[in-house]
Amino acid sequence: MALKSSERPKPKHRKGLWSPDEDERLRNYVLKHGHGCWSSVPINTGLQRNGKSCRLRWINYLRPGLKRGMFTVEEEENILSLHRLIGNKWSQIAKHLPGRTDNEIKNHWHSYLKKKVANKTESSSSSEAHHHAQSQCTNSDNAESSPSPDQIPTNQNPSVDAPSQEQKEKTPFDFSRDGPRSFLPKIFFAEWLNQDEQGNNFPNYGDAFDDRSHLQDPLVHDLCTSDFANSYGGEYAGNGLSNGSAGASGSDMYSSQLGLEMDQVPGVGYYLDYFSGDDICSQFELGSDVNVMMYT
DNA sequence: AAAGCGGTCAACCGCTTTAGT
DNA sequence: GACTAAAGCGGTTGACCGCTT
């Protein structure tokens, strides 16, 4: 008689640090056969680990293309910008930092960036009252500066800790459900555009868009579809958030702001054609060799 | 020299989401 | 639709290391 899965004797799994031998066996196996179902990997490799542990080891350490070592200033700025935008969505953030894992980014955040942000917030908040009194009109600060408290959307508060439950329930782009929101998605990622799902770089943006699989990325899809444009574009524009494009439709806004061409794809909606990084970067504060481009 | 302390990082745990039946 | 297993994810833990006292 077959036992239920819950009644099967559970194999004793090894825990703790991985030995070089274990690494070698896992690496060889995955490179040769692919991981397939992770729970079968320990069986096939003879490793006394559970599938979950194998998966984690592969993703965080053995996977080819991982970038080890110090985070660059650009990477840190990317993380900070993304974290401001989407909170503790480490895997989403990691998708836009090629060669970095969510675990690595999370650790770096907790060990370093969190404090950096806290210090910055502290110092800027002390000068905030003075600054606020001086200028209430121009809100053209870049992403690194702190908006005044009444302008910080709930999920944009540069608090160092995880978003509240209320914050979590909102989408990253849920800027305007309850009152005026004074920000746009400040970042547009070339990484979305010039990488395929395996992380291979496309030689140019046009190639990237020939592969429509990018539209499966929910954020890319939202940004690229008319639904997103209709849902959010008007609100951004209506809040006077974009450089003088108030009242423009979402697609118009993105075309004019980013120099994008919108083109219809049957069954998908709109997709971005391609655009020159240099053209766009002329409107942003970062150079064309940086993968994150910010509105000014 | 060694105990204490804090920072970093790899790995685990438990919850949620997704896919298959 | 209900159930199950696998995968994905984020929070947390614990080992290790370097610095300070």
Side-chain angles (χ1 to χ4, degrees), chain A residues 32-106:
Chain A
K32 198 170 177 183
H33 303 97
H35 59 74
C37 171
W38 279 111
S39 56
S40 68
V41 169
I43 299 165
N44 295 334
T45 55
L47 289 166
Q48 294 187 315
R49 300 273 182 173
N50 62 24
K52 210 170 175 179
S53 180
C54 293
R55 175 182 160 270
L56 214 60
R57 185 62 178 171
W58 173 258
I59 288 172
N60 288 336
Y61 194 80
L62 299 173
R63 183 163 52 108
L66 285 180
K67 200 189 282 180
R68 314 293 300 180
M70 301 277 287
F71 280 76
T72 64
V73 175
E74 285 80 11
E75 284 176 319
E76 288 186 348
E77 283 174 359
N78 288 1
I79 294 168
L80 290 170
S81 301
L82 283 158
H83 190 268
R84 263 195 301 278
L85 190 64
I86 62 178
N88 299 359
K89 303 284 180 196
W90 306 117
S91 63
Q92 290 292 316
I93 293 172
K95 281 177 187 167
H96 307 299
L97 286 138
R100 300 294 188 184
T101 68
D102 53 355
N103 207 30
E104 204 176 2
I105 293 167
K106 182 173 60 181

Side-chain angles (χ1 to χ4, degrees), chain A residues 13 60 283:
Chain A
H13 295 305
N60 288 336
Q283 300 178 40

Side-chain angles (χ1 to χ4, degrees), chain A residues 204-247:
Chain A
N204 58 55
Y205 296 127
D207 290 342
F209 283 106
D210 284 340
D211 181 347
R212 304 290 155 75
S213 64
H214 291 72
L215 292 164
Q216 291 168 7
D217 183 322
L219 292 180
V220 176
H221 184 268
D222 281 350
L223 284 168
C224 296
T225 58
S226 54
D227 283 347
F228 173 82
N230 291 334
S231 302
Y232 300 106
E235 290 172 350
Y236 302 151
N239 287 334
L241 305 172
S242 51
N243 304 330
S245 63

Side-chain angles (χ1 to χ4, degrees), chain A residues 148-210:
Chain A
S148 60
D150 59 335
Q151 291 173 319
I152 301 170
T154 318
N155 62 345
Q156 283 290 293
N157 190 320
S159 138
V160 295
D161 286 319
S164 67
Q165 190 55 37
E166 186 195 355
Q167 290 169 327
K168 282 179 178 175
E169 284 166 3
K170 296 181 178 184
T171 72
F173 292 96
D174 188 7
F175 312 115
S176 50
R177 298 278 163 84
D178 46 338
R181 302 275 170 157
S182 61
F183 68 98
L184 272 166
K186 292 200 172 179
I187 321 169
F188 224 80
F189 299 98
E191 284 306 328
W192 284 342
L193 312 180
N194 67 349
Q195 272 199 348
D196 67 18
E197 287 167 325
Q198 282 74 46
N200 302 316
N201 287 316
F202 288 99
N204 58 55
Y205 296 127
D207 290 342
F209 283 106
D210 284 340

Side-chain angles (χ1 to χ4, degrees), chain A residues 10-26:
Chain A
K10 288 185 178 170
K12 197 82 179 162
H13 295 305
R14 225 174 90 82
K15 288 185 179 180
L17 295 179
W18 282 65
S19 69
D21 177 56
E22 287 177 307
D23 280 346
E24 191 63 20
R25 280 158 78 174
L26 180 59

